[in-house]
Amino acid sequence: MQKNRPGQAVPGRVTLKTIAEATGLSLSTVSLSLRGGTTLKQETRDKVAAAAKALGYVPDRAGVRLRTGKTNVLALVLDGAEDSIDFARQMIQGIGQAIKGTPYHLTVTPEFDRRSTDTIRYILEHRNADGVIITHTGPRDPRVQMMVDANFPFVSHGRTEFFTPHPYHDFHAEAFATMAVERLAGKGCRKVMLVIGDDRTTNYHNIVTAFHKSAARNGLETALLESTRGLTPAELRGIGVELAHSADRPDGLICDSETRTIALLGGFMESGLVVGRDLHLVYKQTSGILPTMFPRLDSIREDIVAAGVELTRLLRLRIEGAPAEELQTLSEPQPQWRSGD
Amino acid sequence: MQKNRPGQAVPGRVTLKTIAEATGLSLSTVSLSLRGGTTLKQETRDKVAAAAKALGYVPDRAGVRLRTGKTNVLALVLDGAEDSIDFARQMIQGIGQAIKGTPYHLTVTPEFDRRSTDTIRYILEHRNADGVIITHTGPRDPRVQMMVDANFPFVSHGRTEFFTPHPYHDFHAEAFATMAVERLAGKGCRKVMLVIGDDRTTNYHNIVTAFHKSAARNGLETALLESTRGLTPAELRGIGVELAHSADRPDGLICDSETRTIALLGGFMESGLVVGRDLHLVYKQTSGILPTMFPRLDSIREDIVAAGVELTRLLRLRIEGAPAEELQTLSEPQPQWRSGD
DNA sequence: CACATTCAATGCAACGTTGCAATTAGGTAA
DNA sequence: TTACCTAATTGCAACGTTGCATTGAATGTG
């Protein structure tokens, strides 16, 4: 398997040398031409371009990387979070779409320990990528800090609270909370409860703030179930049961995590509590699983595939030197009202 | 950002040269020593090893790749299939675990079109990886054909029907079907139905065959719902409703796809049909989602993270030249009987 | 003592690419 | 004629690595 002698050219390989021989030009000229050297005359440039195309030339990644340091690699550092079902697949699909036809490849590294910065450090030290994409960003995320300090191109899915601006694409969590509260208010709810999946992300703060503000504006009583993070699905399910039996339970529920929503719903079902009759619910939706199961439940959607595309776009611009403050975008929540009105 | 002059050494970089200077040996000697040259005397080897460790030397990927052709990259070609919830995340986590501490990196390419071989062709042509992992393998999978023909190292999650052996790791689908049928028989079922998620995978055939064989052995009537593949979740849900209302509906159900299971269960719930009372169900489980929602349903589990680890192990052995026929393993189904007995 | 043998370490070229410095050809000005 | 310009192309060295061929020293043999 692959037994050609190392250090010797692979016979069939098309390199700059091949094109040089084919066109009768020098290797340097070919290289220059392919990179759009303006000092070359048009005729030459055309000839080279034609030959390159005919031979199917693709620059050798190792050669380019060795010479220029450019890896043509984007690195996705995958967080272990499981709040969004199928998050990884969709994110990768989005990034894949965005780099299709470009010289970029995608490497994926799962970071097992949430608070660890090992993977980032490794990439920074060994320059194993031209840019990094991180997800589930926290307010003072050490990964962001580290890359900002190193002035290394990256983009985060999620905002931070750092003073220095950096590229990000984020779900507009405030809008989500506001929309959800208003929907519940519209359904006639008097007491709304917010169930938070992960209180370590920046979105946590944004959602909580907007939730309270919007509830106040609509004259609603509020309750907050935060830090469900450490709980097992079974425990959360238990909370669902408790809620169902509680005397002063809320009549409106907002949940920003699909897996938490599922656990709660499991508890409700077990207790005979019916969403849409006994209370109302709005959850944040990123996969098709929940709507398949419960086609009548209201949700607000974030499109993770689109997020992947956008993150890649921002990162590539960043790599090309665009200023960070121009590379910050939000995605608007997409309400999916399915419970009639 | 990264502005050091191309073609010039990065100042802080630790290369063989750095070690050579530190030890007073020649660059060649250092290189040889690090690769375990036995002609060197022990003292020298120790000195080099110590210096390399002290300086934190890591071989430059581009240099190695250019010289040897070895990329130290494993490529995961991600299928768009959505039968297993969270499949991608778990698979990547498994591979990530297995390559931790090795020189290997993981690149991921989503292959959007299921029957396309573009990604594989691209990897083969440009030698962008040392080995490939594919999933959701079909009986005469063209990707397998292509890589076998090219004698390129790969491993498939799933078997094929090709004559030439190739490395694979697969879920023991026959055992799954047999276990499931027997469980249903034990529950007193008379008529069992098999619902297949994807009829293009090899597992389809294996499951169907074992299903019929086992049903016959247990004296059960059978029904088969195949090719649910083109159906939308809503349509499948509709089938769930139909089933619930059908006069001669089966009293035992086996489903090999999590998403299909969810859709069917949705239909059942809508129709007031209760699993465990009106009929029994065994589904194939790969994520925690369904057990969270329905903690009393029987399932048989495949551990995708473990599959990722095993696939990586096989692939690495293959890359090192182990014969294909020794690199074929099955994972045994893990029954999760939750409905009492 | 000359010569062969072994041991240990090294020089060199090459993998494919790029960017600077250098070269060539043709023209124009002094 | 000489010097000087511009336009177009090219040579060369380097990025970090490896493996072959070679060197040099130490030891063994006749």
Side-chain angles (χ1 to χ4, degrees):
Chain A
M1 230 165 294
Q2 292 165 315
K3 50 349 200 42
N4 43 16
R5 182 143 113 270
Q8 286 320 109
V10 179
R13 207 150 182 23
V14 179
T15 69
L16 290 177
K17 197 173 163 194
T18 321
I19 302 180
E21 282 160 3
T23 55
L25 292 160
S26 84
L27 200 152
S28 299
T29 309
V30 173
S31 170
L32 183 59
S33 175
L34 252 20
R35 274 168 300 119
T38 46
T39 69
L40 266 20
K41 66 177 174 195
Q42 194 57 45
E43 189 196 329
T44 307
R45 302 174 64 182
D46 293 345
K47 197 160 61 174
V48 171
K53 183 158 192 188
L55 293 165
Y57 171 74
V58 175
D60 181 83
R61 321 192 102 235
V64 174
R65 178 164 176 177
L66 184 57
R67 174 65 225 236
T68 66
K70 171 129 212 202
T71 62
N72 283 308
V73 165
L74 305 184
L76 171 65
V77 178
L78 258 194
D79 192 86
E82 298 186 41
D83 283 309
S84 288
I85 296 171
D86 229 15
F87 181 87
R89 207 200 97 244
Q90 297 182 68
M91 180 59 75
I92 289 168
Q93 176 146 334
I95 300 172
Q97 258 175 48
I99 62 179
K100 190 155 205 187
T102 76
Y104 284 101
H105 285 186
L106 172 67
T107 74
V108 181
T109 318
E111 178 75 90
F112 306 100
D113 178 4
R114 182 68 174 275
R115 64 195 59 194
S116 166
T117 52
D118 290 356
T119 304
I120 301 291
R121 193 190 318 278
Y122 177 77
I123 294 172
L124 292 189
E125 264 175 20
H126 300 103
R127 294 279 138 129
N128 278 334
D130 296 338
V132 170
I133 300 175
I134 62 171
T135 63
H136 301 96
T137 318
R140 308 202 68 78
D141 200 302
R143 303 170 298 174
V144 170
Q145 179 82 69
M146 196 174 253
M147 292 191 279
V148 165
D149 289 350
N151 193 25
F152 191 85
F154 77 99
V155 61
S156 59
H157 186 233
R159 286 162 279 178
T160 65
E161 289 173 357
F162 289 113
F163 180 71
T164 316
H166 63 83
Y168 66 72
H169 176 66
D170 197 5
F171 183 60
H172 196 169
E174 303 88 319
F176 163 78
T178 307
M179 270 183 190
V181 168
E182 274 162 13
R183 173 69 173 176
L184 292 176
K187 288 273 178 187
C189 295
R190 307 295 320 150
K191 177 176 181 185
V192 291
M193 180 182 220
L194 177 62
V195 182
I196 292 279
D198 191 334
D199 60 2
R200 290 170 303 183
T201 62
T202 313
N203 272 341
Y204 163 76
H205 303 279
N206 296 332
I207 290 183
V208 171
T209 308
F211 167 72
H212 281 121
K213 202 184 291 181
S214 177
R217 197 163 40 231
N218 287 276
L220 304 180
E221 198 182 336
T222 62
L224 194 58
L225 194 62
E226 49 184 324
S227 212
T228 64
R229 154 161 64 98
L231 303 180
T232 64
E235 287 167 336
L236 245 155
R237 202 186 152 86
I239 293 188
V241 174
E242 270 177 49
L243 267 175
H245 294 136
S246 138
D248 61 340
R249 71 151 178 266
D251 53 1
L253 215 58
I254 300 171
C255 188
D256 79 334
S257 150
E258 280 186 318
T259 51
R260 307 295 171 195
T261 303
I262 286 181
L264 287 176
L265 285 172
F268 291 165
M269 278 168 52
E270 182 181 327
S271 323
L273 184 146
V274 175
V275 176
R277 186 191 67 189
D278 305 323
L279 56 64
H280 295 278
L281 170 69
V282 176
Y283 67 92
K284 178 174 162 196
Q285 179 215 334
T286 56
S287 84
I289 296 294
L290 265 146
T292 297
M293 191 85 225
F294 306 100
R296 302 253 83 83
L297 291 191
D298 288 333
S299 71
I300 298 179
R301 181 160 178 264
E302 175 180 11
D303 184 340
I304 304 294
V305 176
V309 171
E310 173 67 1
L311 285 164
T312 309
R313 188 183 75 83
L314 295 175
L315 182 53
R316 291 193 56 192
L317 287 171
R318 180 57 174 161
I319 290 171
E320 284 157 18
E325 47 274 46
E326 292 170 14
L327 303 173
Q328 307 181 325
T329 60
L330 290 180
S331 78
E332 286 310 312
Q334 304 162 8
Q336 319 275 318
W337 303 148
R338 301 191 182 84
S339 68
D341 40 6
Chain B
M1 232 166 289
Q2 290 164 317
K3 48 357 199 37
N4 43 15
R5 181 142 115 270
Q8 287 318 110
V10 179
R13 207 149 180 24
V14 178
T15 69
L16 290 176
K17 197 171 161 198
T18 320
I19 303 180
E21 282 161 2
T23 55
L25 293 159
S26 84
L27 199 153
S28 300
T29 308
V30 173
S31 169
L32 182 61
S33 175
L34 251 20
R35 271 167 302 119
T38 46
T39 69
L40 267 21
K41 66 178 174 193
Q42 193 56 45
E43 189 197 330
T44 308
R45 301 174 64 184
D46 294 345
K47 196 161 60 173
V48 171
K53 181 156 191 188
L55 294 166
Y57 171 74
V58 174
D60 181 83
R61 320 194 100 232
V64 173
R65 178 164 176 179
L66 184 58
R67 174 66 224 238
T68 66
K70 172 130 214 211
T71 62
N72 283 308
V73 164
L74 305 184
L76 171 65
V77 178
L78 257 196
D79 192 87
E82 299 186 40
D83 283 309
S84 288
I85 296 171
D86 228 17
F87 181 87
R89 205 200 100 243
Q90 296 180 69
M91 180 58 75
I92 289 169
Q93 176 148 335
I95 301 172
Q97 255 175 53
I99 61 179
K100 189 155 204 186
T102 77
Y104 284 101
H105 284 186
L106 171 67
T107 74
V108 181
T109 318
E111 177 74 271
F112 306 101
D113 177 6
R114 182 67 174 277
R115 63 195 59 195
S116 165
T117 53
D118 290 355
T119 303
I120 302 292
R121 191 189 320 276
Y122 177 78
I123 294 172
L124 292 188
E125 265 176 20
H126 300 103
R127 295 281 140 128
N128 279 334
D130 296 339
V132 170
I133 300 174
I134 62 171
T135 63
H136 302 96
T137 317
R140 310 202 67 77
D141 201 302
R143 302 170 299 175
V144 170
Q145 180 81 70
M146 194 173 253
M147 291 190 280
V148 165
D149 289 350
N151 193 27
F152 191 88
F154 76 98
V155 61
S156 59
H157 186 232
R159 286 162 279 180
T160 65
E161 290 171 358
F162 289 113
F163 181 72
T164 316
H166 63 84
Y168 66 74
H169 175 67
D170 198 5
F171 184 59
H172 196 171
E174 302 89 318
F176 162 78
T178 307
M179 268 182 191
V181 167
E182 274 163 12
R183 173 68 172 178
L184 292 176
K187 288 274 178 185
C189 295
R190 307 295 320 149
K191 178 175 179 184
V192 290
M193 179 183 222
L194 177 62
V195 182
I196 292 278
D198 191 335
D199 60 2
R200 291 170 303 185
T201 61
T202 312
N203 271 343
Y204 163 76
H205 304 278
N206 297 332
I207 289 182
V208 171
T209 308
F211 168 71
H212 282 122
K213 201 182 291 179
S214 178
R217 196 163 41 230
N218 287 276
L220 303 182
E221 197 182 338
T222 62
L224 194 58
L225 193 63
E226 50 184 322
S227 211
T228 63
R229 155 162 61 97
L231 304 179
T232 64
E235 287 167 336
L236 246 156
R237 200 185 153 87
I239 293 187
V241 174
E242 271 176 47
L243 267 174
H245 295 134
S246 140
D248 62 338
R249 71 150 179 268
D251 53 0
L253 214 58
I254 300 172
C255 188
D256 80 333
S257 151
E258 279 186 321
T259 52
R260 308 293 173 197
T261 304
I262 286 181
L264 287 175
L265 285 173
F268 292 165
M269 277 170 51
E270 182 181 327
S271 322
L273 186 146
V274 176
V275 176
R277 185 191 68 188
D278 304 323
L279 57 63
H280 294 278
L281 169 71
V282 176
Y283 68 94
K284 179 173 162 197
Q285 179 215 334
T286 55
S287 84
I289 296 292
L290 265 145
T292 297
M293 189 85 226
F294 305 101
R296 301 255 85 82
L297 292 191
D298 287 334
S299 70
I300 299 180
R301 179 159 180 266
E302 175 180 12
D303 185 339
I304 303 293
V305 176
V309 171
E310 174 67 0
L311 286 164
T312 308
R313 188 183 75 84
L314 296 174
L315 181 55
R316 291 192 57 191
L317 287 170
R318 179 57 174 162
I319 290 171
E320 282 157 21
E325 48 273 47
E326 292 171 14
L327 303 173
Q328 307 181 324
T329 60
L330 290 179
S331 79
E332 287 310 313
Q334 305 162 7
Q336 318 276 317
W337 304 147
R338 299 191 185 86
S339 69
D341 44 3

